[in-house]
Amino acid sequence: MSADDKTRIVTENQSNSSFNEPGNEPGNEPGNEPGNESATDSVSPSDDATVLAAQTGQHHDMSVDQDKTVIAESSPVAPSTPASQEPPQQKKSLIKNRFELKKMLGSGGMGAVYQAVDLRKVEAKDRNPYVAVKLLNDDFKRHPDAFISLQRESRKSQNLAHPNIVTVYDFDRDSDMVFMTMEFMEGAPLDEIIRQCVGAGLDQEEAYGIFKDISEALAYAHSQGIIHSDFKPGNIFYTKNKIAKVFDFGIARAVSSTGISSGSGDDKTIFDAGSLSALTPTYASYEMLKGEEPSPSDDVYALACVTYELFAGRHPYDKTPADQAFEKKLKPARIKRLTKRQWKALEKALQLKGDQRTQTVDAFKTAFFSKSKLPYYLSGGALAASVIAGLVYQQTHLVDETQLRETLQEEMQEEMQVNIRANVELEMQQRISLENLNEALSEPLNDHWSDRVHTLIGEYMVLAPDDSESIVQARQKAMSVYLDAASAARASGRLEEAKRLLDEAGLWQNESDQLKQEASLLASAEEALIKRQQEQRLAAKVEAERLEEARKQEQIQIEKQRKARERRLASEAQQRKVNAAVVAVQDSLSCSARIDVKGDLSSKINALEKISKARYNKEQKGFINSLGNCIKTVARHSPASARRIKSDSVVLFPKSNQLASISIDMCAHLRPGSGSKGRRYFCQDYLTSGGKSPVLVVAKGTNKKLAVSRYEITVGDFNHYCKKTGQCSALSGDAGMPASNISIAQAKAYTQWLSQQSGYNYRIPTLNEWMSVSNAERNGADPDRNCFIKFGSLQKGADLVKATTGKPNDNGLINYVGNVREWAFDSGGQLMAMGGSRKDPLKRCLVTSQVNHSGQPDDVTGFRVVRSLN
């Protein structure tokens, strides 16, 4: 698989990769590693994550996970809350009044890396204003030498000016925030690329190129007196331009005078970054694991492990640390795709003991890429080999003719196998490229369809420049796709869109009968549209004249009625009394939340009905309309008052379907995100069988207005449903506790019952909805959340707490993290359990915590409900 298939361009979408620190690879979230649970902590660190442990000088126990970087501190560190994973806008988003943080790209042992915009570059109209900003995280700040460590990392990286080493720009501080800036790259980390080629390895030429880049980077660092000391695929970034770059020299140390270079000595005098004792067990040499002084040979071992993975798609010792591999006498399997000479060079660099291993990167690279010094001619075959062997023998009298012939034949066979393998690989790449092109052509049109097809055609043309027939067919297919879309748009009346799609079709093949036919049909459709528009304008003019005449006639009629009424009032005193009664009713109809329908209005309407039944019947519709409008107006700010007005109005006019059918949403008046302000910003729906729905708040953070239950659904809520329907058995325990030990089917049945009772569509939230409403945190995660922690006399998470316990987030949600996990469905319909539970360790009990769920009952999973607003 080519790296082009793995490299992804950085965008605002979370699915895209960019410059990632170790420990933030997709698929390695805490809790997803099977077979790594313990009694007190069921969530293991993510791949390449830095782990702090007390320094003992003895061999470390590497049983936690052989891919993790382990850092031993020189002094104890107090337990701390994990570094925040909040979006940058909830932290300080502008650093030094210059760097505007956009989003977090990854996190590692020292801190988190963000994509940022350099406002100075924006001011200078730089086309690429992006940089990467590395912030010291809260955990690492507690290390006494953390500030110095980051400064040394910046300084060393600045001194390592090499095209295959990530460029570091500056190191600075903003208040209590320490940071460094470096180049922003687009591509993917090497460990992610290797995972996509497990068991097979990368394309041969691509593997050669990456090996060459990273070996030159290490060789240059060694020449500057710097040993990386934590070299691994997670610290290598492969850019979209097919350049491999090494980064994270945060634990590298200046080589002592006994090494390859003494360096300046400045770092050794004031601070030695090696006091952090950081390493990754699966890539650390035998000597590093035994605590010996660093040597270039340590990086040679790590480089050899990475090289093996490039060509084989797996670790040479199956992730076993070097010391354990030595005790078990493990040997790496031969990689058949390498020549005998290349394999011997790699095998020597993979030696577990330093005295048997290649000592420098340059020596390893030279041995790997060196060519045979013996001349041979493939066309001559064995005869040429014999002649050459004879000549060499006559010149030196030292080479055995048979041995020389066998050596030459062996090398010829190896070279022929390499050439054959290269041809097979090319044919495979051509076939895969053509399959990818045909697959892309069959996909539905979208904003990126044309660019993707153009790219794939270009890639195939590079791989198969002579296959013009496939290219022509692909362009014809692309034209047909756009023609079909244009035809569908034309048939649906979307003529502008049809014209745009027709233009796109012409870009793929401008000479086509189909293209001309569709252009003709589109022109006819446009003419027909112009004709219809003219007819509509004429009809609208005639209708306006008719309405104007009707208005005049209405005015005449009103005038006649007014004069008739004046004549009647002049002769009938009783009529004046009726009018007064009507005015009294209208006065009482003045709309406010305190309108007295049951008392004042009712008595005045009854008085009018007694005075004149006919007048009452005549005015009744207007009264009903006024009350209906008032109910709707009051509902916008006080639905409870509107509900009272409606109830009294229905009693006053029992036959009015208009009043009875008015819907009052008890939550619609609330502003999204107001739920944290107090009880007046809560709402509940009335249920037809009596009682109310769970307490709701209106949440912000979603693309539509959404009401969500403030608390987890409680035992009391669920038992009320069981009692009313008889469809389930009541749960035991305190009514205020969150409901658990129920299935997802029972939870859905409860939401369906709420929907039937309230008239609104209650449901389990989607994953995006749950994350949006739960992630609105004022000052990070609630430190008092009910998650597992045991530190001295402090212990939490042993039991559930009431659903009303805890601090609200900005949306007013309580207990959204910890206590019980909460169900949500992802975009593919997979049931997830969100937010962690009382059994999850506090440092991994976060809003972002999520696991797949079977939907079966358990004691750590509950749910809350949501519904859309009118």
Side-chain angles (χ1 to χ4, degrees):
M1 180 181 294
S2 171
D4 285 342
D5 296 329
K6 314 175 197 84
T7 304
R8 296 171 295 196
I9 306 304
V10 176
T11 67
E12 291 302 321
N13 297 325
Q14 294 180 347
S15 63
N16 294 340
S17 294
S18 58
F19 184 98
N20 289 330
E21 277 280 311
N24 200 39
E25 291 83 356
N28 294 332
E29 293 84 354
N32 287 347
E33 299 87 339
N36 201 31
E37 296 83 357
S38 65
T40 60
D41 189 350
S42 63
V43 182
S44 63
S46 62
D47 283 350
D48 292 343
T50 300
V51 180
L52 294 177
Q55 187 175 18
T56 62
Q58 302 296 325
H59 171 58
H60 296 294
D61 180 6
M62 301 306 173
S63 61
V64 289
D65 194 323
Q66 308 304 341
D67 281 344
K68 311 301 181 289
T69 299
V70 181
I71 294 184
E73 279 202 282
S74 58
S75 60
V77 178
S80 63
T81 303
S84 173
Q85 298 295 315
E86 300 171 0
Q89 59 267 28
Q90 293 181 332
K91 285 179 171 290
K92 182 174 182 179
S93 60
L94 188 62
I95 307 298
K96 245 348 188 184
N97 289 322
R98 175 176 178 178
F99 303 106
E100 182 179 354
L101 303 185
K102 289 299 184 182
K103 66 178 181 179
M104 189 171 74
L105 303 175
S107 61
M110 283 189 169
V113 176
Y114 292 88
Q115 179 189 8
V117 173
D118 186 346
L119 299 183
R120 297 292 180 272
K121 290 188 176 183
V122 173
E123 183 180 358
K125 302 187 183 304
D126 193 315
R127 291 184 177 181
N128 181 20
Y130 291 103
V131 296
V133 175
K134 182 172 186 176
L135 302 181
L136 197 68
N137 68 27
D138 293 336
D139 283 342
F140 201 85
K141 285 180 182 177
R142 293 181 174 88
H143 191 282
D145 294 320
F147 178 86
I148 302 175
S149 177
L150 190 58
Q151 192 274 340
R152 293 298 183 266
E153 177 182 0
S154 173
R155 179 174 176 181
K156 290 168 185 173
S157 298
Q158 284 175 318
N159 291 336
L160 296 178
H162 190 273
N164 299 116
I165 297 177
V166 174
T167 302
V168 173
Y169 299 137
D170 199 5
F171 169 82
D172 207 343
R173 176 196 291 274
D174 187 353
S175 185
D176 63 342
M177 193 175 301
V178 180
F179 68 96
M180 61 186 289
T181 55
M182 53 193 136
E183 66 175 307
F184 177 73
M185 299 182 293
E186 296 175 343
L190 185 58
D191 57 347
E192 181 178 321
I193 296 173
I194 291 175
R195 277 198 298 273
Q196 297 178 17
C197 304
V198 172
L202 279 67
D203 171 80
Q204 192 87 348
E205 291 303 319
E206 192 170 45
Y208 282 146
I210 294 175
F211 172 54
K212 182 176 181 296
D213 286 351
I214 60 181
S215 60
E216 289 181 356
L218 283 179
Y220 175 76
H222 289 178
S223 72
Q224 300 300 308
I226 300 298
I227 299 176
H228 192 289
S229 296
D230 194 21
F231 189 76
K232 56 190 175 184
N235 283 341
I236 303 167
F237 198 82
Y238 195 48
T239 72
K240 67 176 185 179
N241 296 324
K242 297 185 178 181
I243 298 174
K245 293 199 173 194
V246 181
F247 61 93
D248 202 355
F249 282 84
I251 61 163
R253 294 187 280 190
V255 180
S256 65
S257 59
T258 60
I260 57 175
S261 174
S262 62
S264 66
D266 293 345
D267 291 350
K268 193 70 177 180
T269 302
I270 301 175
F271 169 75
D272 180 10
S275 64
L276 296 179
S277 302
L279 52 83
T280 301
T282 52
Y283 298 93
S285 68
Y286 181 92
E287 293 74 27
M288 290 177 67
L289 295 172
K290 295 302 181 181
E292 297 181 12
E293 283 297 312
S295 164
S297 178
D298 299 332
D299 283 351
V300 171
Y301 176 77
L303 173 61
C305 290
V306 174
T307 304
Y308 192 97
E309 290 186 86
L310 287 173
F311 289 97
R314 59 186 178 86
H315 190 277
Y317 297 106
D318 294 326
K319 302 291 186 178
T320 304
D323 53 353
Q324 298 179 24
F326 181 77
E327 293 172 2
K328 297 177 182 179
K329 299 182 178 179
L330 299 182
K331 299 291 184 183
R334 167 80 154 90
I335 301 177
K336 296 182 179 180
R337 64 193 293 195
L338 296 180
T339 66
K340 184 176 181 180
R341 186 183 309 102
Q342 290 172 333
W343 170 245
K344 287 181 178 180
L346 178 57
E347 186 179 36
K348 182 171 179 61
L350 284 171
Q351 291 298 312
L352 297 172
K353 295 299 288 290
D355 56 357
Q356 301 173 4
R357 187 187 312 131
T358 305
Q359 294 300 303
T360 68
V361 172
D362 280 332
F364 175 26
K365 184 180 70 170
T366 300
F368 188 88
F369 285 111
S370 64
K371 297 295 184 180
S372 173
K373 296 181 180 179
L374 293 173
Y376 61 88
Y377 301 92
L378 291 175
S379 60
L383 178 60
S386 299
V387 172
I388 294 169
L391 292 174
V392 173
Y393 177 79
Q394 292 175 6
Q395 293 173 1
T396 63
H397 302 286
L398 296 176
V399 180
D400 181 81
E401 179 179 355
T402 302
Q403 180 180 358
L404 182 59
R405 181 185 300 112
E406 290 177 353
T407 301
L408 279 171
Q409 289 177 345
E410 180 181 349
E411 292 191 357
M412 288 167 60
Q413 290 174 356
E414 286 184 357
E415 292 295 336
M416 292 176 65
Q417 289 175 358
V418 170
N419 292 335
I420 292 172
R421 184 159 52 245
N423 290 333
V424 171
E425 288 181 355
L426 177 60
E427 291 177 2
M428 291 180 62
Q429 290 174 355
Q430 290 173 344
R431 185 172 67 255
I432 292 171
S433 178
L434 188 57
E435 289 174 354
N436 290 339
L437 174 57
N438 291 329
E439 180 181 351
L441 286 167
S442 64
E443 292 175 353
L445 279 178
N446 56 46
D447 292 342
H448 308 291
W449 192 91
S450 180
D451 291 340
R452 174 167 166 73
V453 172
H454 270 299
T455 300
L456 292 174
I457 287 178
E459 291 176 357
Y460 183 70
M461 290 177 67
V462 172
L463 293 171
D466 297 329
D467 188 7
S468 58
E469 181 179 353
S470 295
I471 300 302
V472 171
Q473 291 175 352
R475 296 187 69 86
Q476 289 175 340
K477 174 62 176 176
M479 179 197 70
S480 298
V481 170
Y482 276 106
L483 277 180
D484 292 342
S487 178
R490 173 178 54 77
S492 300
R494 306 190 307 275
L495 302 187
E496 289 295 329
E497 181 181 350
K499 188 175 185 307
R500 179 183 61 79
L501 292 169
L502 191 62
D503 291 340
E504 289 283 352
L507 295 177
W508 291 97
Q509 187 174 351
N510 55 13
E511 291 296 332
S512 167
D513 293 338
Q514 292 176 291
L515 195 66
K516 294 176 182 178
Q517 181 181 2
E518 182 58 33
S520 176
L521 292 173
L522 179 58
S524 299
E526 289 176 336
E527 291 177 1
L529 176 62
I530 293 172
K531 184 178 180 180
R532 285 198 303 272
Q533 290 174 341
Q534 291 174 344
E535 292 172 350
Q536 290 170 355
R537 283 195 294 270
L538 180 59
K541 181 180 179 181
V542 173
E543 178 65 13
E545 292 173 350
R546 186 191 67 78
L547 291 175
E548 177 61 21
E549 181 62 26
R551 188 189 65 79
K552 291 179 180 179
Q553 293 300 321
E554 183 179 4
Q555 291 297 328
I556 293 172
Q557 185 64 26
I558 291 173
E559 183 64 17
K560 288 180 180 179
Q561 290 176 354
R562 186 186 65 79
K563 291 178 180 180
R565 187 167 58 252
E566 287 177 351
R567 290 193 297 270
R568 286 196 305 273
L569 289 174
S571 61
E572 297 177 7
Q574 179 65 18
Q575 191 62 37
R576 290 193 297 271
K577 188 176 181 180
V578 172
N579 289 341
V582 171
V583 171
V585 172
Q586 292 173 342
D587 290 341
S588 297
L589 278 171
S590 178
C591 184
S592 73
R594 295 185 297 275
I595 184 172
D596 185 7
V597 176
K598 188 175 182 181
D600 181 60
L601 180 60
S602 178
S603 64
K604 289 180 179 178
I605 286 181
N606 289 336
L608 173 61
E609 187 176 12
K610 288 180 181 180
I611 294 172
S612 174
K613 183 71 173 178
R615 186 63 181 276
Y616 167 79
N617 290 337
K618 180 180 178 181
E619 300 290 340
Q620 184 184 49
K621 184 177 179 179
F623 298 158
I624 292 173
N625 287 340
S626 296
L627 278 174
N629 292 335
C630 185
I631 292 169
K632 294 175 183 177
T633 299
V634 172
R636 294 191 190 105
H637 57 84
S638 179
S641 299
R643 190 172 187 275
R644 173 186 58 78
I645 296 171
K646 175 186 173 181
S647 177
D648 293 341
S649 299
V650 170
V651 172
L652 184 58
F653 298 103
K655 296 181 180 180
S656 173
N657 291 331
Q658 178 182 345
L659 292 174
S661 63
I662 294 175
S663 175
I664 301 173
D665 193 328
M666 302 302 293
C667 300
H669 68 294
L670 296 176
R671 182 171 55 82
S674 60
S676 62
K677 295 183 178 181
R679 296 185 61 83
R680 62 181 294 191
Y681 296 97
F682 303 167
C683 57
Q684 290 178 277
D685 293 323
Y686 287 83
L687 308 181
T688 56
S689 62
K692 297 181 181 180
S693 71
V695 175
L696 304 173
V697 293
V698 178
K700 66 179 179 181
T702 61
N703 56 7
K704 60 182 178 180
K705 205 171 180 183
L706 192 70
V708 57
S709 55
R710 175 176 167 84
Y711 313 105
E712 298 152 330
I713 298 304
T714 65
V715 171
D717 294 331
F718 191 81
N719 286 349
H720 178 68
Y721 150 70
C722 293
K723 179 179 179 182
K724 289 292 184 180
T725 63
Q727 295 180 2
C728 53
S729 301
L731 300 176
S732 61
D734 192 323
M737 291 295 182
S740 61
N741 283 313
I742 61 175
S743 68
I744 187 62
Q746 290 174 304
K748 286 183 175 180
Y750 173 73
T751 62
Q752 292 172 359
W753 177 77
L754 281 179
S755 300
Q756 294 169 355
Q757 289 286 308
S758 67
Y760 298 103
N761 182 24
Y762 279 81
R763 56 186 172 81
I764 304 296
T766 67
L767 186 147
N768 287 339
E769 289 171 340
W770 192 96
M771 290 293 294
S772 295
V773 301
S774 301
N775 214 19
E777 300 174 351
R778 296 177 177 178
N779 296 304
D782 182 3
D784 201 34
R785 57 194 182 278
N786 188 30
C787 303
F788 181 82
I789 183 173
K790 186 173 182 181
F791 185 76
S793 61
L794 174 63
Q795 181 173 352
K796 295 186 64 178
D799 299 299
L800 290 174
V801 299
K802 288 189 175 182
T804 57
T805 304
K807 297 179 180 179
N809 68 358
D810 284 350
N811 278 325
L813 270 62
I814 301 293
N815 248 327
Y816 50 93
V817 176
N819 216 24
V820 293
R821 303 177 300 193
E822 298 178 16
W823 277 321
F825 289 96
D826 68 13
S827 59
Q830 171 64 44
L831 182 64
M832 309 295 292
M834 310 295 296
S837 72
R838 67 181 180 85
K839 294 183 178 181
D840 290 320
L842 184 65
K843 66 181 180 180
R844 296 187 185 93
C845 189
L846 305 169
V847 169
T848 54
S849 299
Q850 55 181 278
V851 296
N852 292 341
H853 201 278
S854 66
Q856 297 303 311
D858 61 54
D859 63 349
V860 293
T861 307
F863 66 105
R864 64 179 74 228
V865 296
V866 298
R867 74 165 177 84
S868 300
L869 302 179
N870 289 339

